[in-house]
Amino acid sequence: MTPDLLALPDFSNRSFLFVLGSSRPDGNSEILAREAAAHLPADVPQRWVDLNELSLPDFRDGRHEETGPPTHGTEKLLLEATVGATDVVIVSPLYWYSLSAQAKRYLDHWSGWLNVPGSDFKERMAGGTLWGVTALAHDEHVVAEGLVTSLHHSAAYLRMRFGGVLTGTGSRPGRVRADEAALLRARTFFRTEPPLALFPYEEGVGAGV
């Protein structure tokens, strides 16, 4: 069976949030993510957020202080967009074998949202799916395992599903378009049924949701 003939999963009542964390517009990671998104069913809602276009402050840990709802407009926008999606796709180039500063700052704010009164952030994220897309300046994609582990464990903590990370080779602008294997993987990337993310110590012991 060819990739184009693979059965589509049930996309009813699903919506995708693509969070762009590159330091430049139209980067290789975004090109790869848009290729994958183009193969979603046309009626599946997509929302794209470019962190470079938003004034998101550095995360300040206030877990042991009295905190209220996010007062910064950008933070509130991102919180609502995040909990409003069933599928969150982190689109980040591989920088020093991990996420970009922009993407990491966004994930750091998840820590704060866990403690926003009435947000029920962890409960609302549970059961959703976290995905990743990254371009790297290396032909051996195993070097991106640090980024993969970071996203996988974040999903495990929130009891989300993890769809994996779509990787492609690209350093110079547009280079990922020459990675034919990555573009082929992109066509079916979102057609999988992602498993519940589990920490390594939970695997094989019948951990529940």
Side-chain angles (χ1 to χ4, degrees), residues 2-73:
T2 65
D4 286 338
L5 296 178
L6 289 176
L8 284 174
D10 183 9
F11 282 102
S12 60
N13 301 316
R14 288 175 67 180
S15 59
F16 282 70
L17 172 66
F18 292 83
V19 181
L20 303 178
S22 177
S23 62
R24 65 187 179 193
D26 304 316
N28 285 300
S29 298
E30 180 179 347
I31 291 171
L32 192 56
R34 291 193 181 277
E35 177 65 23
H39 295 277
L40 285 168
D43 59 347
V44 174
Q46 297 180 25
R47 182 173 184 178
W48 293 76
V49 173
D50 188 341
L51 296 176
N52 274 325
E53 297 179 354
L54 302 175
S55 179
L56 182 66
D58 287 336
F59 171 66
R60 179 178 178 274
D61 190 349
R63 284 177 295 174
H64 303 293
E65 305 170 8
E66 289 189 8
T67 59
T71 57
H72 192 279

Side-chain angles (χ1 to χ4, degrees), residues 92-105:
S92 168
L94 187 73
Y95 287 159
W96 287 107
Y97 311 103
S98 188
L99 296 160
S100 68
Q102 294 90 330
K104 183 58 167 62
R105 182 187 296 117

